[in-house]
Amino acid sequence: MKQPNERSLTVIVMDVSPVTWGERELIRTASDKSRLAAGKRSIGPARLEECLSAVQCFCSAASSLEKDAVTVLVAVAASEVAVVYPRKDALEDYFRNPENKLDSRNLQSNLLSGVAELMAKASAKQQQASTTDPSNPPPPLTSNLAAMASAFSTALCLINRFLVAANAGVSALHDHHSWNRGNRDDDGVIAALGGGTSGKKTSHKYRVWSPRVLLLQASDDRPSDYNAMMNCAFAAVKQQILVDACFILSPSERASKSSSYLEQTCDMTGGLLSTPSAASQADKALTEVLLTIFLPTRSSRHRLNQVAITNLDFRARSFDTGQIVDMAFVCNQCLSIFSQLPQGRCPTCDAEIRSKKSKIEP
Amino acid sequence: MSSALSTSAAPAASNAPSSHVWEEATNTWESAVQEDAEGNIIVAGQESVANLIRHRRKRLEQNDYAQRNRRVVRDMIRYMYVLIDGSQWMRSKDPVLPGGTKLEVTVQLLHQFVQEYYDQNPLSHLGFVILKNGEAEVLTKLSSSSKTHKLALQTFLQESLQEGPSRGGVFSLQNGLEVAGRSLGHQPRHGSREILILCAALSTCDPGHILTETMPRLKAANIRVSTFALAAELHICRKLSEETGGAMGVCLDKGHMRDWMLEQCVPPPALRREWMEHGCEMVQMGFPTRTKSDIPVLVHATKDTKLITRTSYTCPQCLAKIQELPADCVVCGLKLVLSPHLARTFHHLFPVAPFSEYIPPPTASIDDGTNKDSNNPQTTSSAVAAVSAPPALAALSSSTAKSAAKQQQKKRLDSKLRLAAPNDDRNSCFACLRMVGIPNNEDGGDAGEEELRFCCPECRNIFCVNCDSYLHETLHNCPGCLLKDTS
């Protein structure tokens, strides 16, 4: 239940990679032309402006829902990440006098100028990488994807900063407060008879903030980010941070239909994942999606009927065949998964495989 | 204040290399206790927060038994027994460990240890043994479930509290080692076998000779013994730890105990022995799927108990249903894990490199004239350079210049975006935008933390002190290094 002095802290991570949004713009203008001519409304994927205005609406709705709520916006464009709102000086002032609220009117100007600067920097970097020095190998195709893991880590550090100010986060000098951090595991004993999804009541005894992260991802997952995203998800679980995600689909056939990293993250932390189709992104529909699905805070969610993630596949892919396996052999040093027992040496860490000896009794 | 201390300590230390810490100490009466303007006594000899943090980092680095920031071959699958001293020695209170008798404090810490252990090593097993009245009894056998351990520890604590302070008997090290060692010897070879002893005893009553009987058997079974002493170090414990390749620690204070215990949760580097081949072993594991059925079904919770519930995991080999993972299948014995559990241990294989403290090079363009003239906007850049100069300069300038410089600091954080450019401003933390790099001002104390800046060796970004601990202890990701795409 909502504690009397609980304040929600929301960090919204927006993907504004220029290449991704540029592709969607092209698809959108092409499809709009034909549809307007036929007199129908647009079914195109969202434009960047629509996405940004949806985020603005979400922030003003959140602050009118709860006066003391704090919202922070982080934007990521390909390989650049920056905290767009509030700016450095506003955040310092906020920590000096926590009575002053973060001004939500500044949000629009900061958001637009910050995103513009970030996108300009990202496109400049990409152009520079492609034009200078043809002897360098061309950048991989995945360099256009957003560095969501870096932005997620930045969001978690920001939340940690707020928590430290309230004596609850991870700080450099662990004092005696940290001995008594509420352990969610104790509640689990009583909830053993229930299903797996109930029992999300967390103990907010030692914390005043109710933190959450909302990830808006438009690009596909970066393959090299798997470890980093999992680390971020585990850290969020440890600090009881709710992570929601909205994967903004593109109707082109090459794009993936969902993000498996986001699925696993949301499932682990108890958040919601929504993948609105292209038709439900056009015009103002994205605003509606954000407001109806993501606006309710953690304490009100257990009363609502929500979208559940079904068919979440936790099985692993084996490293040699790439198929999803039920049973496999795992190397005990490098933890790589093989569906067939390798002979001789481990393919990943190149360690010799010890043959099974008889057990030694002490 | 601290700058005055440092200038007076410098000549003393430079005379002869002192081999003891107490020779360098400058905690004399005059410097430790001072009076402020109204005549009230202020204790000025305390370390500033910044120095406290530095000392803690240095201590962690020197005693890094697990080498947690280096890429070494580690044992990911661990079987560990914790031997808790329940004898008379633990029933007394200790001023160094506030909050009850030593036993209470230890059990409280063990709750955290259990949580952290399963967090860092989801594939591993843990068991507890109590040493009491000269005997060793197993409190919980080796298992993967943290709830059983916590419940057992709670009941043990309740019983001991009811018994009173004069019970407990003698401490017997050999019995404990024999019980734990026998049980560990039956475990499969692919995991590392460890024993952790928490003792406050200063003597032990054994049926035989540890060094000639028990120790060779421990070494033959590749069991690693680590000890944490709450009172004083025992030679037998030190010898055991050194011979078997474990760690030995003696309690300094509560924070130190917590740090030491949590360090044992990190998988230790694998031991290399001459008669053991170097190599890995392939362990067969199953990856069950989670099923939610409409009607409640019979599910195995632990080896003995069964529940009726809806959500369960199905073992791929024998199709039995298990309630909670990671576990060994109750029916067929296959190890069952989920891929996030494997992913949880990857951060040991790819740790974040330790950050080094960033000391800005002293800038050449410092003159006292600009310090006083800080309201002039044209001299903003040189005033910024002056503020980031070594603290000795701050001591030289007058107090009005100091407060003007502090005002300058407040204006220093601009409203630009904090991007990952190496030539960008070095005064805000890359991850949380906190202002860092303020030299110690005369208020001392709380502001000292913000003086420290840490720099990542790979991406050369600056981080504040809290982000540094957070990244290394909980998150295991550096946001600056993740910007690059390495796929």
Side-chain angles (χ1 to χ4, degrees):
Chain A
M1 293 312 297
K2 187 165 155 67
Q3 306 291 86
N5 49 355
E6 183 183 301
R7 297 168 67 174
S8 63
L9 166 63
T10 313
V11 180
I12 306 182
V13 175
M14 288 173 296
D15 174 13
V16 292
S17 307
V19 173
T20 323
W21 287 103
E23 276 174 7
R24 285 158 200 238
E25 182 73 33
L26 291 176
I27 301 178
R28 173 74 175 262
T29 34
S31 93
D32 272 0
K33 244 190 274 186
S34 53
R35 288 185 71 90
L36 275 179
K40 300 186 213 160
R41 26 179 294 272
S42 164
I43 52 151
R47 286 209 175 91
L48 185 58
E49 296 85 22
E50 289 170 357
C51 182
L52 294 179
S53 72
V55 169
Q56 272 167 246
C57 264
F58 182 82
C59 295
S60 1
S63 75
S64 52
L65 192 62
E66 196 177 337
K67 248 182 13 162
D68 291 338
V70 171
T71 317
V72 180
L73 298 180
V74 177
V76 52
S79 310
E80 296 287 335
V81 166
V83 181
V84 168
Y85 169 79
R87 297 299 177 98
K88 282 181 278 191
D89 48 352
L91 200 53
E92 275 298 315
D93 287 340
Y94 174 75
F95 273 101
R96 283 215 187 91
N97 317 325
E99 314 309 324
N100 297 345
K101 295 195 281 269
L102 290 180
D103 188 357
S104 52
R105 268 168 280 163
N106 260 340
L107 199 137
Q108 182 175 9
S109 53
N110 276 355
L111 173 63
L112 295 177
S113 58
V115 167
E117 192 180 327
L118 203 61
M119 289 180 78
K121 186 129 198 271
S123 346
K125 208 166 165 191
Q126 270 171 346
Q127 273 188 344
Q128 200 185 28
S130 56
T131 52
T132 57
D133 207 359
S135 61
N136 277 352
L141 283 172
T142 47
S143 65
N144 294 335
L145 299 176
M148 288 302 285
S150 172
F152 195 179
S153 310
T154 311
L156 289 175
C157 287
L158 277 165
I159 292 181
N160 189 48
R161 181 180 178 187
F162 279 90
L163 291 181
V164 162
N167 285 331
V170 176
S171 64
L173 284 179
H174 293 283
D175 51 357
H176 297 316
H177 292 295
S178 54
W179 281 78
N180 298 328
R181 243 180 280 169
N183 267 338
R184 198 166 51 136
D185 220 73
D186 299 327
D187 293 334
V189 182
I190 310 161
L193 292 174
T197 47
S198 68
K200 290 288 181 215
K201 295 189 267 287
T202 53
S203 65
H204 284 274
K205 272 185 282 194
Y206 304 102
R207 219 172 298 165
V208 182
W209 294 105
S210 162
R212 40 184 284 215
V213 178
L214 172 60
L215 301 170
L216 298 171
Q217 183 172 329
S219 341
D220 294 341
D221 292 330
R222 258 200 207 173
S224 58
D225 271 355
Y226 177 65
N227 275 344
M229 286 293 279
M230 286 290 117
N231 282 339
C232 293
F234 296 134
V237 169
K238 208 168 181 185
Q239 294 192 301
Q240 296 173 336
I241 299 176
L242 194 68
V243 178
D244 301 315
C246 181
F247 184 67
I248 306 182
L249 277 179
S250 152
S252 88
E253 299 81 28
R254 281 183 309 132
S256 51
K257 291 298 152 212
S258 175
S259 156
S260 57
Y261 301 171
L262 291 182
E263 273 176 22
Q264 292 204 358
T265 307
C266 293
D267 183 68
M268 258 193 275
T269 54
L272 294 167
L273 172 67
S274 144
T275 47
S277 64
S280 39
Q281 296 168 26
D283 291 334
K284 309 269 187 289
L286 193 57
T287 313
E288 197 179 317
V289 167
L290 288 185
L291 287 181
T292 47
I293 300 186
F294 298 115
L295 196 56
T297 56
R298 180 209 293 260
S299 40
S300 12
R301 281 190 190 192
H302 66 277
R303 294 180 196 274
L304 299 172
N305 222 355
Q306 285 170 331
V307 185
I309 305 177
T310 53
N311 307 331
L312 183 51
D313 200 355
F314 277 120
R315 293 176 300 174
R317 277 177 202 278
S318 88
F319 285 35
D320 50 358
T321 57
Q323 305 296 325
I324 298 187
V325 288
D326 269 335
M327 283 192 349
F329 294 93
V330 176
C331 169
N332 75 335
Q333 277 180 7
C334 59
L335 296 182
S336 31
I337 306 170
F338 303 106
S339 50
Q340 320 288 338
L341 179 62
Q343 306 295 329
R345 305 189 84 95
C346 166
T348 322
C349 62
D350 209 35
E352 201 176 313
I353 300 182
R354 268 180 274 168
S355 49
K356 279 204 188 321
K357 286 200 241 179
S358 56
K359 296 194 193 108
I360 297 182
E361 302 285 317
Chain B
M1 293 305 161
S2 65
S3 52
L5 271 179
S6 58
T7 45
S8 64
S14 59
N15 279 343
S18 50
S19 54
H20 297 280
V21 174
W22 55 263
E23 286 176 327
E24 291 167 16
T26 54
N27 274 344
T28 55
W29 180 253
E30 299 87 41
S31 56
V33 176
Q34 311 229 341
E35 290 182 30
D36 67 1
E38 283 115 13
N40 301 322
I41 294 181
I42 36 177
V43 182
Q46 267 180 354
E47 302 241 13
S48 68
V49 178
N51 279 337
L52 271 177
I53 296 179
R54 284 196 187 108
H55 284 171
R56 180 172 177 260
R57 280 172 61 93
K58 202 165 119 184
R59 190 174 67 191
L60 283 179
E61 205 179 297
Q62 278 173 347
N63 298 339
D64 200 357
Y65 158 71
Q67 293 177 54
R68 59 173 107 183
N69 288 323
R70 283 198 246 157
R71 292 177 66 161
V72 294
V73 172
R74 296 178 193 275
D75 292 315
M76 296 295 173
I77 304 176
R78 305 164 74 185
Y79 298 98
M80 184 191 260
Y81 262 108
V82 179
L83 269 53
I84 310 176
D85 179 2
S87 67
Q88 219 174 10
W89 301 95
M90 287 283 262
R91 309 284 170 134
S92 57
K93 294 192 189 182
D94 193 343
V96 151
L97 294 173
T101 58
K102 287 189 221 173
L103 191 58
E104 280 173 27
V105 173
T106 308
V107 172
Q108 205 190 7
L109 171 65
L110 282 175
H111 280 284
Q112 269 210 324
F113 174 77
V114 167
Q115 185 82 358
E116 184 75 15
Y117 180 81
Y118 283 116
D119 195 49
Q120 302 266 2
N121 310 286
L123 308 169
S124 313
H125 292 235
L126 189 61
F128 285 94
V129 174
I130 308 281
L131 302 170
K132 205 162 91 153
N133 289 328
E135 296 167 345
E137 68 178 81
V138 174
L139 184 67
T140 47
K141 288 190 297 199
L142 282 179
S143 73
S144 309
S145 125
S146 57
K147 280 186 223 129
T148 22
H149 295 310
K150 287 190 181 176
L151 278 179
L153 283 173
Q154 258 329 94
T155 31
F156 167 62
L157 188 62
Q158 302 297 342
E159 281 169 10
S160 337
L161 285 179
Q162 279 173 353
E163 274 179 357
S166 54
R167 302 299 217 93
V170 295
F171 172 71
S172 168
L173 186 58
Q174 189 177 18
N175 285 335
L177 289 175
E178 291 279 331
V179 165
R182 218 157 276 170
S183 174
L184 281 179
H186 291 297
Q187 302 303 324
R189 285 293 301 276
H190 55 76
S192 84
R193 301 161 174 173
E194 296 164 49
I195 296 181
L196 177 64
I197 309 176
L198 295 173
C199 72
L202 293 177
S203 66
T204 164
C205 292
D206 295 328
H209 216 64
I210 296 187
L211 288 175
T212 51
E213 295 169 6
T214 316
M215 196 154 79
R217 291 209 284 255
L218 290 175
K219 279 167 79 165
N222 295 325
I223 298 179
R224 214 193 296 229
V225 177
S226 302
T227 318
F228 191 72
L230 290 168
E233 177 184 305
L234 290 180
H235 174 72
I236 179 70
C237 294
R238 164 75 65 178
K239 188 120 174 97
L240 272 174
S241 311
E242 278 178 8
E243 292 279 322
T244 53
M248 170 88 206
V250 179
C251 177
L252 293 175
D253 58 33
K254 209 173 183 183
H256 175 240
M257 186 172 175
R258 182 183 179 272
D259 281 345
W260 195 93
M261 294 289 293
L262 293 186
E263 198 184 305
Q264 299 304 310
C265 296
V266 180
L271 291 175
R272 294 251 176 267
R273 295 215 195 269
E274 307 81 37
W275 61 85
M276 222 166 75
E277 298 159 11
H278 308 313
C280 63
E281 206 167 305
M282 291 285 157
V283 184
Q284 195 179 25
M285 296 196 190
F287 296 93
T289 48
R290 187 167 71 186
T291 48
K292 276 189 200 184
S293 52
D294 292 331
I295 47 172
V297 288
L298 189 68
V299 161
H300 295 266
T302 63
K303 268 204 154 71
D304 310 324
T305 57
K306 300 188 222 322
L307 300 173
I308 303 207
T309 171
R310 290 198 178 91
T311 313
S312 59
Y313 297 94
T314 312
C315 169
Q317 198 176 61
C318 65
L319 300 182
K321 295 196 182 357
I322 312 287
Q323 187 212 7
E324 172 177 86
L325 293 186
D328 288 346
C329 175
V330 178
V331 173
C332 64
L334 181 65
K335 264 183 128 54
L336 297 176
V337 289
L338 295 172
S339 51
H341 293 140
L342 289 180
R344 224 180 250 268
T345 42
F346 283 158
H347 68 82
H348 295 303
L349 298 170
F350 306 110
V352 183
F355 292 172
S356 50
E357 191 172 336
Y358 174 76
I359 318 260
T363 44
S365 61
I366 302 168
D367 50 320
D368 287 322
T370 53
N371 253 345
K372 299 191 186 86
D373 202 11
S374 48
N375 285 328
N376 190 345
Q378 284 162 352
T379 55
T380 310
S381 54
S382 46
V384 167
V387 164
S388 61
L393 189 61
L396 292 174
S397 55
S398 63
S399 59
T400 49
K402 223 190 258 189
S403 53
K406 189 148 193 256
Q407 266 187 354
Q408 203 64 25
Q409 286 170 28
K410 280 192 193 155
K411 292 182 206 153
R412 225 175 7 147
L413 269 196
D414 50 26
S415 54
K416 288 199 298 215
L417 288 183
R418 177 71 172 108
L419 294 169
N423 299 325
D424 213 8
D425 87 78
R426 316 294 267 168
N427 291 314
S428 68
C429 168
F430 178 67
C432 71
L433 300 187
R434 191 172 171 199
M435 192 156 71
V436 286
I438 308 170
N440 219 346
N441 51 9
E442 74 245 16
D443 302 330
D446 298 335
E449 208 174 62
E450 296 174 343
E451 184 185 331
L452 297 173
R453 292 184 264 191
F454 294 101
C455 179
C456 169
E458 320 264 323
C459 59
R460 326 274 337 149
N461 281 313
I462 301 284
F463 293 95
C464 72
V465 91
N466 290 332
C467 286
D468 171 57
S469 328
Y470 184 63
L471 291 180
H472 281 103
E473 293 175 25
T474 310
L475 189 54
H476 307 287
N477 276 347
C478 169
C481 301
L482 285 175
L483 288 177
K484 292 192 287 272
D485 184 17
T486 49
S487 51

